[in-house]
Coordinates of all heavy atoms in Angstrom, one line a residue:
N1 N 0.8 -1.2 0.0 CA 0.0 0.0 0.0 C 0.9 1.3 0.0 O 0.6 2.2 -0.8 CB -0.9 0.0 1.1 CG -2.0 0.9 1.1 OD1 -2.3 1.6 0.1 ND2 -2.8 1.2 2.1
K2 N 1.9 1.2 0.8 CA 2.8 2.4 0.9 C 3.6 2.5 -0.4 O 3.8 3.7 -0.9 CB 3.7 2.3 2.1 CG 3.1 2.4 3.4 CD 2.9 3.8 3.9 CE 2.5 3.9 5.3 NZ 2.1 5.2 5.7
V3 N 4.0 1.5 -1.0 CA 4.8 1.5 -2.2 C 3.9 2.1 -3.3 O 4.3 3.0 -4.1 CB 5.2 0.1 -2.6 CG1 5.8 0.1 -4.0 CG2 6.3 -0.5 -1.6
F4 N 2.6 1.7 -3.4 CA 1.6 2.2 -4.4 C 1.5 3.7 -4.1 O 1.5 4.5 -5.1 CB 0.3 1.5 -4.3 CG -0.7 2.1 -5.1 CD1 -0.7 1.8 -6.6 CD2 -1.8 2.9 -4.7 CE1 -1.6 2.4 -7.4 CE2 -2.7 3.5 -5.6 CZ -2.6 3.2 -6.9
N5 N 1.3 4.1 -2.9 CA 1.1 5.6 -2.6 C 2.3 6.5 -3.0 O 2.2 7.5 -3.6 CB 0.8 5.8 -1.2 CG -0.5 5.3 -0.7 OD1 -1.4 5.4 -1.5 ND2 -0.6 5.0 0.6
W6 N 3.6 5.9 -2.8 CA 4.8 6.6 -3.2 C 4.9 6.6 -4.7 O 5.3 7.6 -5.3 CB 6.1 6.0 -2.6 CG 6.2 6.5 -1.2 CD1 6.1 5.7 -0.1 CD2 6.5 7.8 -0.7 NE1 6.2 6.6 1.1 CE2 6.6 7.8 0.7 CE3 6.8 9.1 -1.4 CZ2 6.8 8.9 1.5 CZ3 7.1 10.1 -0.7 CH2 7.1 10.1 0.7
A7 N 4.5 5.5 -5.4 CA 4.6 5.5 -6.9 C 3.6 6.4 -7.5 O 3.9 7.2 -8.4 CB 4.2 4.2 -7.3
V8 N 2.3 6.6 -7.0 CA 1.4 7.6 -7.5 C 1.9 9.0 -7.1 O 1.7 9.9 -8.0 CB 0.0 7.3 -6.8 CG1 -0.9 8.5 -7.1 CG2 -0.5 6.0 -7.2
F9 N 2.5 9.2 -6.0 CA 3.0 10.5 -5.7 C 4.2 10.9 -6.6 O 4.2 12.1 -7.1 CB 3.6 10.6 -4.2 CG 4.1 11.9 -3.8 CD1 3.2 12.9 -3.6 CD2 5.4 12.1 -3.7 CE1 3.6 14.1 -3.2 CE2 6.0 13.2 -3.1 CZ 5.1 14.3 -2.9
A10 N 5.1 10.0 -6.9 CA 6.1 10.3 -7.9 C 5.5 10.6 -9.3 O 6.0 11.6 -9.9 CB 7.0 9.2 -8.0
L11 N 4.6 9.8 -9.7 CA 3.9 10.1 -11.0 C 3.2 11.5 -11.0 O 3.3 12.2 -12.0 CB 2.8 9.1 -11.3 CG 2.0 9.2 -12.6 CD1 3.0 9.0 -13.8 CD2 0.9 8.2 -12.6
L12 N 2.6 11.8 -9.9 CA 1.9 13.0 -9.7 C 2.9 14.2 -9.8 O 2.6 15.3 -10.4 CB 1.1 13.1 -8.4 CG 0.3 14.3 -8.1 CD1 -0.9 14.3 -9.1 CD2 -0.2 14.2 -6.6
L13 N 4.0 14.1 -9.2 CA 5.1 15.2 -9.3 C 5.5 15.4 -10.7 O 6.0 16.5 -11.0 CB 6.3 14.8 -8.3 CG 6.0 14.9 -6.8 CD1 7.2 14.5 -6.1 CD2 5.7 16.4 -6.5
S14 N 5.6 14.4 -11.4 CA 6.0 14.5 -12.8 C 5.0 15.3 -13.7 O 5.4 15.8 -14.8 CB 6.4 13.2 -13.5 OG 5.2 12.5 -13.8
I15 N 3.8 15.3 -13.4 CA 2.7 15.9 -14.3 C 3.0 17.4 -14.5 O 3.0 17.8 -15.7 CB 1.4 15.6 -13.8 CG1 1.0 14.1 -13.9 CG2 0.3 16.4 -14.5 CD1 -0.2 13.6 -13.2
P16 N 3.2 18.2 -13.5 CA 3.4 19.6 -13.8 C 4.6 20.0 -14.6 O 4.7 20.8 -15.4 CB 3.5 20.3 -12.3 CG 2.9 19.2 -11.5 CD 3.1 18.0 -12.0
V17 N 5.6 19.1 -14.5 CA 6.8 19.4 -15.2 C 6.6 18.9 -16.7 O 7.0 19.6 -17.7 CB 8.0 18.5 -14.6 CG1 9.2 18.7 -15.5 CG2 8.3 19.1 -13.3
S18 N 6.1 17.7 -16.9 CA 5.9 17.2 -18.3 C 4.9 17.9 -19.0 O 5.0 18.0 -20.3 CB 5.6 15.7 -18.2 OG 4.3 15.4 -17.6
T19 N 3.9 18.5 -18.4 CA 2.8 19.3 -19.2 C 3.3 20.7 -19.4 O 2.6 21.5 -20.2 CB 1.6 19.3 -18.4 OG1 1.7 20.0 -17.1 CG2 0.9 18.0 -18.3
G20 N 4.4 21.2 -18.8 CA 4.9 22.5 -19.1 C 4.3 23.5 -18.1 O 4.5 24.7 -18.2
L21 N 3.5 23.1 -17.0 CA 2.9 24.0 -16.2 C 3.9 24.7 -15.3 O 3.7 26.0 -15.0 CB 1.9 23.2 -15.3 CG 1.2 24.0 -14.2 CD1 0.3 25.0 -14.8 CD2 0.4 23.1 -13.2
V22 N 5.0 24.0 -14.8 CA 5.9 24.7 -14.1 C 6.6 25.8 -14.9 O 6.8 27.0 -14.4 CB 7.0 23.7 -13.6 CG1 8.1 24.4 -12.9 CG2 6.4 22.7 -12.6
D23 N 7.0 25.4 -16.1 CA 7.6 26.5 -16.9 C 6.7 27.7 -17.1 O 7.1 28.9 -17.0 CB 8.1 25.9 -18.2 CG 8.9 26.8 -19.1 OD1 9.8 27.5 -18.6 OD2 8.6 27.0 -20.4
A24 N 5.4 27.5 -17.4 CA 4.5 28.6 -17.6 C 4.3 29.4 -16.4 O 4.2 30.6 -16.5 CB 3.2 28.0 -18.1
I25 N 4.2 28.8 -15.2 CA 4.1 29.5 -14.0 C 5.3 30.4 -13.7 O 5.2 31.5 -13.2 CB 3.7 28.7 -12.9 CG1 2.3 28.2 -13.1 CG2 3.7 29.3 -11.6 CD1 1.8 27.2 -12.1
L26 N 6.5 29.8 -13.9 CA 7.7 30.5 -13.6 C 8.0 31.7 -14.5 O 8.6 32.7 -14.2 CB 8.9 29.5 -13.5 CG 8.9 28.4 -12.4 CD1 10.1 27.5 -12.5 CD2 8.9 29.2 -11.0
T27 N 7.7 31.5 -15.8 CA 8.0 32.5 -16.8 C 7.0 33.6 -16.9 O 7.4 34.8 -17.0 CB 8.2 31.9 -18.2 OG1 7.0 31.2 -18.6 CG2 9.4 31.0 -18.3
N28 N 5.8 33.3 -16.8 CA 4.6 34.3 -16.8 C 3.4 33.9 -16.0 O 2.5 33.5 -16.6 CB 4.4 34.5 -18.3 CG 3.6 35.8 -18.5 OD1 3.2 36.5 -17.6 ND2 3.4 36.2 -19.8
P29 N 3.6 34.1 -14.8 CA 2.4 33.6 -13.9 C 1.1 34.4 -14.1 O 0.0 33.7 -14.1 CB 2.9 33.9 -12.5 CG 4.0 34.8 -12.6 CD 4.6 34.6 -13.9
G30 N 1.2 35.7 -14.4 CA 0.0 36.4 -14.6 C -0.8 35.9 -15.9 O -2.0 35.7 -15.8
Q31 N -0.1 35.7 -16.9 CA -0.7 35.2 -18.1 C -1.3 33.8 -18.0 O -2.4 33.5 -18.4 CB 0.3 35.2 -19.4 CG -0.4 34.8 -20.6 CD 0.6 34.7 -21.7 OE1 1.7 35.1 -21.6 NE2 0.1 34.3 -22.9
T32 N -0.6 33.0 -17.3 CA -1.1 31.6 -17.0 C -2.4 31.7 -16.1 O -3.4 30.9 -16.5 CB 0.0 30.9 -16.2 OG1 1.3 30.8 -16.9 CG2 -0.5 29.4 -16.0
V33 N -2.4 32.5 -15.1 CA -3.7 32.6 -14.3 C -4.7 33.2 -15.2 O -5.9 32.7 -15.1 CB -3.4 33.4 -13.1 CG1 -4.7 33.7 -12.3 CG2 -2.4 32.6 -12.2
Q34 N -4.5 34.2 -16.0 CA -5.6 34.8 -16.8 C -6.1 33.7 -17.9 O -7.2 33.7 -18.1 CB -4.9 36.1 -17.5 CG -6.0 36.8 -18.3 CD -7.1 37.2 -17.5 OE1 -7.0 37.6 -16.4 NE2 -8.3 37.2 -18.2
E35 N -5.2 33.0 -18.4 CA -5.7 31.9 -19.4 C -6.6 30.9 -18.6 O -7.5 30.4 -19.3 CB -4.5 31.3 -20.1 CG -3.8 32.2 -21.1 CD -2.5 31.6 -21.6 OE1 -2.1 30.4 -21.2 OE2 -1.9 32.3 -22.4
Y36 N -6.2 30.6 -17.5 CA -7.0 29.6 -16.6 C -8.4 30.2 -16.3 O -9.4 29.5 -16.5 CB -6.3 29.2 -15.4 CG -7.2 28.5 -14.4 CD1 -7.6 27.0 -14.8 CD2 -7.9 29.0 -13.4 CE1 -8.4 26.3 -13.9 CE2 -8.8 28.3 -12.6 CZ -9.0 27.0 -12.9 OH -10.0 26.3 -12.1
V37 N -8.5 31.4 -16.0 CA -9.7 32.1 -15.7 C -10.5 32.2 -16.9 O -11.7 31.9 -16.8 CB -9.4 33.5 -15.2 CG1 -10.7 34.4 -15.1 CG2 -8.8 33.6 -13.8
E38 N -9.9 32.4 -18.1 CA -10.7 32.5 -19.4 C -11.3 31.0 -19.7 O -12.4 30.9 -20.1 CB -9.8 32.9 -20.5 CG -9.6 34.4 -20.4 CD -8.5 34.9 -21.5 OE1 -8.3 34.1 -22.5 OE2 -8.0 36.0 -21.3
L39 N -10.5 30.1 -19.5 CA -10.9 28.7 -19.7 C -12.0 28.3 -18.7 O -13.0 27.6 -19.0 CB -9.7 27.7 -19.5 CG -8.9 27.4 -20.7 CD1 -7.6 26.6 -20.3 CD2 -9.7 26.9 -21.8
F40 N -11.9 28.7 -17.5 CA -12.9 28.4 -16.5 C -14.2 29.0 -16.9 O -15.3 28.4 -16.6 CB -12.5 29.0 -15.1 CG -13.4 28.6 -14.0 CD1 -13.2 27.4 -13.2 CD2 -14.4 29.5 -13.6 CE1 -14.0 27.1 -12.2 CE2 -15.2 29.2 -12.5 CZ -15.0 27.9 -11.8
K41 N -14.2 30.2 -17.4 CA -15.5 30.9 -17.9 C -16.0 30.3 -19.1 O -17.3 30.3 -19.2 CB -15.1 32.4 -18.1 CG -14.9 33.1 -16.8 CD -14.7 34.6 -17.2 CE -14.3 35.4 -15.9 NZ -13.9 36.8 -16.2
S42 N -15.2 29.8 -20.1 CA -15.7 29.4 -21.3 C -15.9 27.9 -21.4 O -16.7 27.4 -22.3 CB -14.7 29.9 -22.4 OG -13.5 29.2 -22.3
A43 N -15.1 27.1 -20.8 CA -15.2 25.6 -21.0 C -15.9 25.0 -19.7 O -15.3 25.0 -18.6 CB -13.9 25.1 -21.2
A44 N -16.9 24.3 -19.9 CA -17.7 23.7 -18.8 C -16.9 22.6 -18.1 O -17.0 22.4 -16.9 CB -19.1 23.1 -19.3
I45 N -16.1 21.8 -18.9 CA -15.2 20.8 -18.3 C -14.2 21.3 -17.3 O -14.0 20.7 -16.3 CB -14.5 20.0 -19.4 CG1 -13.9 18.7 -18.7 CG2 -13.6 20.6 -20.1 CD1 -14.8 17.7 -18.2
V46 N -13.7 22.5 -17.6 CA -12.7 23.1 -16.7 C -13.3 23.6 -15.4 O -12.9 23.4 -14.3 CB -11.9 24.3 -17.4 CG1 -11.0 25.1 -16.4 CG2 -11.2 23.9 -18.6
S47 N -14.5 24.2 -15.5 CA -15.2 24.7 -14.3 C -15.7 23.6 -13.5 O -15.6 23.5 -12.3 CB -16.3 25.7 -14.7 OG -17.2 25.1 -15.5
A48 N -16.2 22.5 -14.1 CA -16.7 21.4 -13.4 C -15.6 20.6 -12.7 O -15.7 20.2 -11.5 CB -17.5 20.4 -14.3
S49 N -14.5 20.4 -13.4 CA -13.3 19.8 -12.8 C -12.7 20.5 -11.7 O -12.3 19.9 -10.7 CB -12.2 19.5 -13.9 OG -12.7 18.7 -14.9
S50 N -12.7 21.8 -11.7 CA -12.1 22.7 -10.7 C -13.0 22.6 -9.5 O -12.5 22.5 -8.4 CB -11.9 24.1 -11.1 OG -11.1 24.2 -12.3
I51 N -14.3 22.7 -9.7 CA -15.2 22.7 -8.6 C -15.2 21.2 -7.9 O -15.2 21.1 -6.6 CB -16.6 23.1 -9.0 CG1 -16.6 24.6 -9.3 CG2 -17.6 22.7 -7.9 CD1 -17.9 25.0 -10.0
D52 N -15.1 20.3 -8.8 CA -15.0 18.9 -8.2 C -13.7 18.7 -7.4 O -13.8 18.0 -6.3 CB -15.0 17.9 -9.4 CG -15.1 16.4 -9.0 OD1 -15.7 16.1 -8.0 OD2 -14.3 15.6 -9.6
L53 N -12.6 19.2 -7.9 CA -11.3 19.1 -7.1 C -11.5 19.9 -5.8 O -11.0 19.3 -4.7 CB -10.2 19.6 -7.9 CG -8.9 19.6 -7.2 CD1 -8.4 18.2 -6.9 CD2 -7.8 20.5 -8.1
L54 N -12.1 21.0 -5.8 CA -12.3 21.7 -4.5 C -13.2 21.0 -3.6 O -12.8 20.8 -2.3 CB -13.0 23.0 -4.8 CG -13.4 23.9 -3.7 CD1 -12.2 24.5 -3.0 CD2 -14.3 25.0 -4.1
I55 N -14.2 20.3 -4.0 CA -15.1 19.6 -3.1 C -14.4 18.3 -2.6 O -14.4 18.1 -1.5 CB -16.4 19.1 -3.9 CG1 -17.3 20.4 -4.1 CG2 -17.2 18.1 -3.1 CD1 -18.4 20.1 -5.1
L56 N -13.7 17.6 -3.5 CA -13.0 16.3 -3.0 C -11.8 16.7 -2.0 O -11.6 16.0 -1.1 CB -12.4 15.7 -4.2 CG -13.5 15.0 -5.1 CD1 -12.8 14.4 -6.4 CD2 -14.2 13.9 -4.3
T57 N -11.1 17.8 -2.3 CA -10.1 18.2 -1.4 C -10.7 18.6 0.0 O -10.1 18.2 1.0 CB -9.2 19.4 -2.0 OG1 -8.7 19.0 -3.2 CG2 -8.1 19.8 -1.2
T58 N -11.7 19.4 0.0 CA -12.3 19.7 1.3 C -12.8 18.6 2.1 O -12.5 18.5 3.3 CB -13.4 20.7 1.0 OG1 -12.9 21.8 0.2 CG2 -14.1 21.3 2.3
V59 N -13.5 17.7 1.4 CA -13.9 16.5 2.1 C -12.8 15.6 2.6 O -12.8 15.2 3.8 CB -14.9 15.6 1.2 CG1 -15.1 14.2 1.7 CG2 -16.1 16.4 0.9
A60 N -11.7 15.4 1.8 CA -10.6 14.6 2.2 C -9.9 15.3 3.4 O -9.6 14.7 4.4 CB -9.6 14.5 1.1
A61 N -9.7 16.6 3.4 CA -9.1 17.3 4.6 C -9.9 17.2 5.8 O -9.4 17.1 6.9 CB -8.9 18.8 4.2
S62 N -11.3 17.2 5.6 CA -12.1 17.1 6.8 C -12.1 15.6 7.4 O -12.4 15.6 8.7 CB -13.6 17.5 6.5 OG -14.1 16.5 5.7
L63 N -11.7 14.7 6.7 CA -11.6 13.3 7.2 C -10.3 12.9 7.8 O -10.2 12.0 8.5 CB -12.0 12.3 6.0 CG -13.4 12.4 5.5 CD1 -13.5 11.5 4.3 CD2 -14.4 12.1 6.5
I64 N -9.3 13.7 7.5 CA -7.9 13.4 8.0 C -7.8 13.4 9.5 O -7.2 12.4 10.1 CB -6.9 14.4 7.4 CG1 -6.7 13.9 5.9 CG2 -5.6 14.3 8.1 CD1 -5.8 14.8 5.1
P65 N -8.4 14.4 10.3 CA -8.2 14.3 11.7 C -8.9 13.0 12.3 O -8.2 12.4 13.2 CB -9.0 15.5 12.2 CG -8.8 16.5 11.1 CD -8.9 15.6 9.8
D66 N -10.0 12.6 11.8 CA -10.6 11.4 12.3 C -9.7 10.1 11.9 O -9.5 9.2 12.7 CB -11.9 11.1 11.6 CG -12.7 9.9 12.2 OD1 -12.6 9.7 13.5 OD2 -13.2 9.1 11.4
D67 N -9.1 10.1 10.7 CA -8.2 9.1 10.3 C -7.0 9.0 11.3 O -6.6 7.9 11.6 CB -7.8 9.3 8.9 CG -6.9 8.1 8.3 OD1 -7.3 6.9 8.5 OD2 -5.8 8.4 8.0
L68 N -6.4 10.1 11.6 CA -5.3 10.2 12.4 C -5.6 9.6 13.8 O -4.8 9.0 14.5 CB -4.6 11.5 12.5 CG -3.8 11.9 11.3 CD1 -3.4 13.4 11.4 CD2 -2.6 11.0 11.2
K69 N -6.8 10.0 14.3 CA -7.2 9.6 15.6 C -7.4 8.0 15.6 O -6.9 7.4 16.6 CB -8.6 10.1 16.0 CG -9.1 9.7 17.4 CD -10.6 10.1 17.5 CE -10.6 11.6 18.1 NZ -12.0 12.0 18.4
R70 N -7.9 7.5 14.6 CA -7.9 6.0 14.5 C -6.6 5.3 14.4 O -6.4 4.1 14.8 CB -8.8 5.6 13.3 CG -10.2 5.9 13.3 CD -11.0 5.5 12.2 NE -12.4 5.9 12.4 CZ -13.3 5.7 11.5 NH1 -13.0 5.2 10.4 NH2 -14.5 6.2 11.7
R71 N -5.7 6.1 13.9 CA -4.3 5.5 13.8 C -3.4 5.9 15.1 O -2.2 5.6 15.0 CB -3.6 6.1 12.6 CG -4.3 5.6 11.3 CD -3.7 6.3 10.1 NE -4.4 5.8 8.9 CZ -4.2 4.7 8.3 NH1 -3.2 3.9 8.6 NH2 -4.9 4.3 7.1
G72 N -4.1 6.3 16.1 CA -3.3 6.4 17.3 C -2.7 7.9 17.6 O -2.0 8.0 18.6
V73 N -3.0 8.8 16.8 CA -2.5 10.2 17.0 C -3.5 10.9 17.7 O -4.6 11.2 17.2 CB -2.1 10.9 15.6 CG1 -1.7 12.3 15.8 CG2 -1.1 10.1 14.9
S74 N -3.2 11.3 19.0 CA -4.1 12.0 19.9 C -4.0 13.5 19.8 O -4.9 14.1 20.4 CB -4.0 11.4 21.3 OG -2.6 11.7 21.8
D75 N -3.0 14.0 19.2 CA -2.7 15.5 19.2 C -3.6 16.1 18.1 O -3.4 15.9 16.9 CB -1.3 15.8 18.9 CG -1.0 17.2 18.9 OD1 -1.9 18.0 19.3 OD2 0.2 17.6 18.7
S76 N -4.7 16.7 18.5 CA -5.7 17.3 17.5 C -5.1 18.4 16.8 O -5.5 18.7 15.7 CB -7.0 17.7 18.2 OG -6.8 18.7 19.2
G77 N -4.2 19.2 17.4 CA -3.5 20.3 16.8 C -2.7 19.8 15.7 O -2.8 20.3 14.5
K78 N -2.0 18.7 15.8 CA -1.1 18.2 14.8 C -2.1 17.6 13.6 O -1.8 17.9 12.4 CB -0.3 17.0 15.2 CG 0.6 16.3 14.1 CD 1.3 15.2 14.8 CE 2.2 14.5 13.6 NZ 3.0 13.4 14.2
A79 N -3.2 17.1 13.9 CA -4.2 16.5 13.0 C -4.8 17.7 12.1 O -4.9 17.6 10.9 CB -5.2 15.8 13.7
N80 N -5.1 18.8 12.8 CA -5.6 19.9 12.1 C -4.5 20.6 11.2 O -4.9 21.0 10.0 CB -6.1 20.9 13.1 CG -7.3 20.5 13.8 OD1 -8.1 19.7 13.2 ND2 -7.6 20.9 14.9
I81 N -3.3 20.6 11.5 CA -2.2 21.1 10.7 C -2.1 20.3 9.4 O -1.9 20.8 8.4 CB -1.0 21.4 11.5 CG1 -1.1 22.4 12.4 CG2 0.3 21.5 10.6 CD1 0.1 22.6 13.5
V82 N -2.1 19.0 9.6 CA -1.9 18.0 8.6 C -3.1 18.3 7.6 O -3.0 18.3 6.3 CB -1.9 16.6 9.0 CG1 -1.9 15.6 7.8 CG2 -0.6 16.4 9.8
A83 N -4.3 18.4 8.1 CA -5.5 18.6 7.2 C -5.4 20.0 6.5 O -5.7 20.0 5.3 CB -6.7 18.6 8.1
L84 N -4.9 21.0 7.1 CA -4.7 22.3 6.5 C -3.7 22.2 5.4 O -3.8 22.8 4.3 CB -4.3 23.3 7.5 CG -4.0 24.8 7.0 CD1 -5.3 25.3 6.4 CD2 -3.5 25.6 8.1
S85 N -2.6 21.5 5.6 CA -1.6 21.2 4.5 C -2.2 20.6 3.3 O -1.8 20.9 2.2 CB -0.4 20.5 5.1 OG -0.7 19.1 5.3
T86 N -3.2 19.7 3.6 CA -3.8 19.1 2.3 C -4.6 20.1 1.5 O -4.9 19.9 0.4 CB -4.6 17.8 2.7 OG1 -5.7 18.2 3.5 CG2 -3.7 16.7 3.3
L87 N -5.1 21.0 2.2 CA -6.0 22.1 1.7 C -5.0 23.1 0.8 O -5.6 23.5 -0.2 CB -6.8 22.8 2.6 CG -8.0 22.2 3.2 CD1 -8.6 23.0 4.3 CD2 -9.0 21.9 2.2
L88 N -3.9 23.2 1.3 CA -3.0 24.2 0.7 C -2.3 23.6 -0.5 O -1.9 24.4 -1.4 CB -1.9 24.7 1.7 CG -2.4 25.5 2.8 CD1 -1.3 25.8 3.8 CD2 -3.1 26.7 2.5
L89 N -2.1 22.3 -0.5 CA -1.6 21.6 -1.6 C -2.5 20.5 -2.1 O -2.4 19.3 -1.7 CB -0.2 21.0 -1.3 CG 0.9 21.9 -0.9 CD1 2.0 21.2 -0.3 CD2 1.4 22.7 -2.1
P90 N -3.6 20.8 -2.9 CA -4.8 20.0 -3.0 C -4.4 18.5 -3.3 O -4.6 17.6 -2.5 CB -5.6 20.5 -4.1 CG -5.2 22.0 -4.0 CD -3.9 22.1 -3.5
V91 N -3.9 18.2 -4.5 CA -3.6 16.8 -4.7 C -2.4 16.3 -4.1 O -2.3 15.2 -3.6 CB -3.6 16.6 -6.2 CG1 -3.4 15.2 -6.6 CG2 -5.0 17.0 -6.8
F92 N -1.4 17.1 -4.2 CA 0.0 16.6 -3.6 C -0.2 16.4 -2.1 O 0.5 15.5 -1.6 CB 1.0 17.8 -3.9 CG 1.2 18.0 -5.4 CD1 0.7 19.1 -6.0 CD2 2.0 17.1 -6.2 CE1 0.9 19.3 -7.3 CE2 2.1 17.3 -7.4 CZ 1.7 18.4 -8.1
G93 N -0.8 17.3 -1.4 CA -1.0 17.1 0.1 C -1.7 15.8 0.4 O -1.2 15.1 1.3
L94 N -2.6 15.5 -0.3 CA -3.4 14.3 0.0 C -2.6 13.0 -0.2 O -2.6 12.1 0.6 CB -4.7 14.2 -0.8 CG -5.6 13.1 -0.5 CD1 -6.0 13.0 1.0 CD2 -6.9 13.0 -1.3
F95 N -1.9 12.9 -1.4 CA -1.0 11.8 -1.6 C 0.2 11.7 -0.8 O 0.7 10.6 -0.4 CB -0.6 11.8 -3.1 CG -1.6 11.1 -4.0 CD1 -2.5 12.0 -4.8 CD2 -1.8 9.8 -4.0 CE1 -3.4 11.3 -5.6 CE2 -2.9 9.2 -4.8 CZ -3.6 10.0 -5.5
T96 N 0.7 12.9 -0.3 CA 1.8 12.9 0.6 C 1.2 12.3 2.0 O 2.0 11.5 2.6 CB 2.3 14.4 0.9 OG1 2.7 14.8 -0.4 CG2 3.5 14.3 1.8
Y97 N 0.1 12.8 2.4 CA -0.4 12.2 3.6 C -0.7 10.7 3.6 O -0.2 10.0 4.5 CB -1.8 12.9 3.9 CG -2.5 12.2 5.1 CD1 -2.1 12.4 6.4 CD2 -3.6 11.4 4.8 CE1 -2.7 11.7 7.4 CE2 -4.3 10.6 5.9 CZ -3.8 10.9 7.2 OH -4.4 10.2 8.1
C98 N -1.2 10.3 2.4 CA -1.4 8.8 2.3 C -0.1 8.1 2.3 O 0.0 6.9 2.8 CB -2.1 8.5 1.0 SG -3.8 9.0 1.0
A99 N 1.0 8.6 1.8 CA 2.3 7.9 1.8 C 3.0 8.0 3.2 O 3.7 7.0 3.4 CB 3.2 8.6 0.7
V100 N 2.8 8.9 3.9 CA 3.6 9.1 5.2 C 2.7 8.8 6.4 O 3.3 8.9 7.5 CB 4.3 10.4 5.3 CG1 5.3 10.6 4.1 CG2 3.3 11.6 5.4
R101 N 1.4 8.7 6.3 CA 0.6 8.5 7.5 C 1.0 7.2 8.3 O 1.5 6.3 7.7 CB -0.9 8.4 7.1 CG -1.3 7.2 6.4 CD -2.7 7.3 6.0 NE -3.1 6.0 5.1 CZ -4.2 5.9 4.7 NH1 -5.2 6.7 5.0 NH2 -4.5 4.8 3.9
P102 N 0.9 7.3 9.6 CA 1.2 6.1 10.3 C 0.3 4.9 10.0 O -0.8 5.0 9.6 CB 1.0 6.6 11.8 CG 0.1 7.8 11.8 CD 0.3 8.4 10.4
S103 N 0.9 3.8 10.3 CA 0.2 2.5 10.1 C -0.9 2.4 11.1 O -0.7 2.8 12.3 CB 1.1 1.3 10.0 OG 2.0 1.4 9.0
M104 N -2.0 1.7 10.7 CA -3.0 1.4 11.7 C -2.5 0.3 12.6 O -2.0 -0.7 12.2 CB -4.3 1.0 11.0 CG -5.3 2.0 11.1 SD -6.8 1.5 10.3 CE -7.9 2.5 11.1
E105 N -2.9 0.5 13.9 CA -2.5 -0.6 14.9 C -3.6 -1.6 14.7 O -4.8 -1.4 14.6 CB -2.7 -0.1 16.3 CG -1.7 1.1 16.5 CD -1.9 1.8 17.9 OE1 -2.7 1.2 18.7 OE2 -1.1 2.6 18.2
E106 N -3.1 -2.9 14.6 CA -4.1 -4.1 14.5 C -4.3 -4.7 15.8 O -3.4 -4.8 16.6 CB -3.4 -5.0 13.5 CG -3.2 -4.6 12.1 CD -2.7 -5.6 11.2 OE1 -2.9 -6.8 11.4 OE2 -2.0 -5.3 10.2
D107 N -5.6 -5.0 16.0 CA -5.9 -5.6 17.3 C -5.7 -7.0 17.3 O -5.8 -7.8 16.4 CB -7.5 -5.3 17.5 CG -7.6 -3.7 17.7 OD1 -6.7 -3.2 18.2 OD2 -8.7 -3.3 17.4

């Protein structure tokens, strides 16, 4: 399970580089954001996908504190910080959490 999570995380890290997103953001961030806004307004798939990502990220972040509690982490402050980090880095944060979260104690 952890190997799969790390493999998906590595694949995920390659996507912004291979698609040219990193280069576009570093060279001209204003134009890149403006083009995204135009796509969001004009293409239904872009707006639907963006809203879907927002909903899924919010739900996943809200479930992380409970997951950490089940895995034996009793510090709610730490759980909330981890959940916040998944909100700040939507897809990357969630896959990072899945890769590094503590194992569940078996009874």
Side-chain angles (χ1 to χ4, degrees):
N1 195 8
K2 294 274 187 186
V3 173
F4 176 76
N5 287 332
W6 281 110
V8 171
F9 182 72
L11 178 67
L12 187 65
L13 284 178
S14 72
I15 292 172
V17 176
S18 63
T19 60
L21 179 63
V22 172
D23 186 47
I25 289 175
L26 291 177
T27 57
N28 197 347
Q31 181 181 356
T32 303
V33 171
Q34 183 60 34
E35 289 173 359
Y36 170 76
V37 169
E38 290 173 18
L39 276 174
F40 187 87
K41 290 177 181 177
S42 64
I45 189 72
V46 175
S47 56
S49 298
S50 299
I51 292 169
D52 186 42
L53 178 63
L54 176 69
I55 291 169
L56 290 172
T57 300
T58 305
V59 169
S62 69
L63 296 174
I64 287 175
D66 186 50
D67 182 57
L68 283 173
K69 183 189 273 186
R70 290 180 183 179
R71 293 174 184 277
V73 176
S74 59
D75 184 5
S76 64
K78 180 179 179 180
N80 291 332
I81 289 172
V82 171
L84 179 64
S85 70
T86 62
L87 286 174
L88 296 175
L89 298 168
V91 177
F92 298 103
L94 185 58
F95 276 103
T96 303
Y97 170 72
C98 287
V100 301
R101 68 185 176 179
S103 298
M104 246 180 160
E105 296 175 6
E106 294 185 26
D107 293 331

